[in-house]
Amino acid sequence: MPDIDLGVATDWIAGDPNGRVKLQPSPKYPNSPKKDVLVSSPQCIEIAVNTNFETPPSGSMKLDKKIYFTTTSGGQKKIIAILDADGNLSIAGKVIQGQSNLSY
């Protein structure tokens, strides 16, 4: 499946300025034919929907599905947040409250 090009996402002048939706090999299961869904931007903010082969607990249909929010810093990919199927959000860093201007 080819990438879905979302068009120009930024005025970033280096490299590809387009946002993309694509399939990528699973970092959790590198030899698996299954792929993760990746939404990426030229500013190196990515959202990856994890698809895995985990077996649900006996009598349950619930799998450990997660959405990973990642960024690239100094050439190294870092996880900045994980949202699980129960709605639990884990954040690397801290939540800053009281910001009065959250606009662009």
Side-chain angles (χ1 to χ4, degrees), residues 12-54:
W12 186 256
I13 56 173
D16 183 2
N18 291 11
R20 299 200 180 275
V21 176
K22 61 185 175 181
L23 296 176
Q24 73 170 6
S26 172
K28 189 167 185 176
Y29 302 98
N31 298 321
S32 167
K34 272 200 160 185
K35 307 278 187 197
D36 289 351
V37 176
L38 178 72
V39 179
S40 63
S41 80
Q43 300 290 346
C44 296
I45 300 295
E46 300 176 345
I47 302 170
V49 179
N50 183 35
T51 56
N52 60 41
F53 288 145
E54 290 186 21

Side-chain angles (χ1 to χ4, degrees), residues 69-71 78-83 89-96:
F69 299 85
T70 62
T71 190
K78 296 182 178 184
I79 296 174
I80 55 177
I82 300 172
L83 178 63
L89 178 63
S90 301
I91 299 174
K94 59 186 172 185
V95 175
I96 300 174

